[in-house]
Amino acid sequence: MIPGSETMLEARDIRLSFGDFVALDGVSLSFRRGGVTGIVGPNGAGKSTLFNVLGGQVRPQGGAVIYAGQDVSHLPAHRRARRGLTRTFQISRELGALTVLENLMLAFPRQPGEAVLPIFFRKTAVRQAEEEAIEHARALLERVNLWRLADAPAKTLSGGQKKLLELCRALMLEPGFVLLDEPAAGVNPVLVGEIADFIRTLQGEGMSFGIVEHNMDMIAALCDPIHVLAEGRVLTSGTFAEISANAQVTDAYLGGVA
Ligand SMILES: Nc1ncnc2c1ncn2[C@@H]1O[C@H](COP(=O)(O)OP(=O)(O)OP(=O)(O)O)[C@@H](O)[C@H]1O
Ligand SMILES: [Mg+2]
C-alpha cells in the first residue's frame, strides 16, 4: 500500500432525504488516515448534512459510515466521539455565558465507574479527573493563544477565536479524526493562517481531518484529496489543481449543474 493512502473514515452510498427533498443522493467518499481531506461545493450541496451523518448527529435512510475499519452507522455521536471521531459545527456552539475554560471542561466526559465508587474515593477520583482535564484544557488553550482569555465569557470572543474554542473543544477528547465544518468562515485572514498552521501541526502529530470550507486558499494549502459535492452527489475528486481545472466544478459553482 502507498504510505498515506489508507482510509480512516468512509461514507458508503449515503442516502438522506428531508421529505421529498433528496439532500444526499448516494454519496460515497473516503478520508485519508494521517491526511487532511477537503469537501467543497456550492451552498446547499449537502456538505454539512454529510458531516452530520458522519458524526452521528443525523441518521441517514441508507448507506453506512465506516470508521477505522468498523461500521459505526448504528452508534450515536457521543459513542463515535469516544472512539476518536469528533467534529466542529459551521455555527460555533459555544455557551456564551460560560467562560472559555468552562466550555472546554464541558467537553470532558465523566469518568466511567465514577458513580459506583464509595463517596470518599469518588470525590478524590472526580477531583483528579477534573485536575487532569483542566491541565489538558490549559495546554490546548496555550497552543492557540487563548489561555489569557480562559476566564472570559465565551460570548466576548471574536468569530475566529470562537472557531478556535470550538476546535479545542473537539480536541479535549484526544480524537484520532476531526471533522471541521467551515473553520475559516467569518475569521480574519491572519487568524485563518493560524488555524491552518495549527491543523497542519496536529496532522504532523498523527491526527486526521476532514474539512468543509468555502475558503479556497485554506483548501489549497491543506487538503488532498478534495471531494466536490453538488446537489447531494460527488461530482469529482482530486487534488486542488485537478478540481480547479474541471469545467464541471466551475459550472456547479455557477449553478449550472444539469
Ligand atoms: N433539517 C433539515 N430539514 C430540511 N432541509 C434541510 C435540513 N438540513 C438541511 N436541509 C437542506 O439540505 C440541503 C443541504 O444542506 P447543507 O446544510 O448540508 O448544505 P451545505 O453544503 O452545508 O451548504 P453551505 O455551504 O451553505 O453550508 C439544503 O438545501 C438545505 O436547505
Ligand atoms: Mg454547511
Side-chain angles (χ1 to χ4, degrees):
M1 185 176 297
I2 304 162
S5 69
E6 197 188 335
T7 293
M8 183 146 192
L9 175 65
E10 189 187 347
R12 274 192 201 158
D13 197 23
I14 301 292
R15 293 171 185 280
L16 189 143
S17 301
F18 298 109
D20 289 340
F21 177 75
V22 182
L24 296 172
D25 191 8
V27 171
S28 296
L29 47 77
S30 59
F31 298 81
R32 271 195 313 127
R33 182 184 292 277
V36 183
T37 302
I39 308 276
V40 302
N43 296 117
K47 305 179 297 297
S48 295
T49 304
L50 177 67
F51 270 25
N52 288 339
V53 169
L54 293 168
Q57 282 75 29
V58 169
R59 198 61 73 90
Q61 279 106 17
V65 175
I66 313 295
Y67 176 65
Q70 293 187 319
D71 191 333
V72 296
S73 311
H74 60 292
L75 296 180
H78 71 275
R79 291 191 54 200
R80 293 185 202 193
R82 226 182 284 153
R83 291 193 186 194
L85 174 60
T86 63
R87 66 166 299 178
T88 65
F89 291 86
Q90 184 168 348
I91 314 249
S92 294
R93 291 193 166 183
E94 85 288 344
L95 296 168
L98 297 185
T99 68
V100 167
L101 182 61
E102 284 165 347
N103 267 273
L104 288 202
M105 295 300 287
L106 277 186
F108 201 72
R110 298 195 71 74
Q111 300 304 298
E114 235 172 47
V116 297
L117 290 172
I119 187 83
F120 171 75
F121 292 109
R122 185 154 74 222
K123 275 193 185 147
T124 314
V126 169
R127 198 169 307 130
Q128 194 179 334
E130 236 165 48
E131 277 166 15
E132 277 171 21
I134 289 174
E135 200 39 50
H136 188 195
R138 189 175 67 83
L140 280 173
L141 290 172
E142 275 178 352
R143 290 185 73 171
V144 298
N145 208 15
L146 284 183
W147 177 241
R148 70 204 152 83
L149 297 172
D151 294 326
K155 63 181 170 218
T156 62
L157 298 183
S158 73
Q161 288 169 332
K162 283 180 183 167
K163 290 282 183 189
L164 282 170
L165 176 63
E166 174 110 357
L167 173 53
C168 286
R169 201 158 47 174
L171 297 176
M172 279 298 281
L173 300 165
E174 300 188 81
F177 197 103
V178 187
L179 293 159
L180 302 168
D181 196 350
E182 300 203 20
V187 181
N188 77 59
V190 176
L191 209 46
V192 169
E194 281 178 31
I195 293 173
D197 287 345
F198 188 41
I199 292 167
R200 210 179 282 111
T201 303
L202 293 166
Q203 183 195 4
E205 292 169 10
M207 214 174 277
S208 314
F209 291 90
I211 298 187
V212 164
E213 192 45 75
H214 288 290
N215 182 321
M216 288 301 152
D217 291 338
M218 184 180 245
I219 290 284
L222 291 178
C223 301
D224 181 24
I226 298 152
H227 303 293
V228 184
L229 271 191
E231 298 187 343
R233 298 199 191 116
V234 180
L235 195 61
T236 186
S237 304
T239 63
F240 187 76
E242 284 164 352
I243 63 157
S244 313
N246 186 321
Q248 272 186 304
V249 175
T250 321
D251 285 352
Y253 271 94
L254 295 173
V257 177

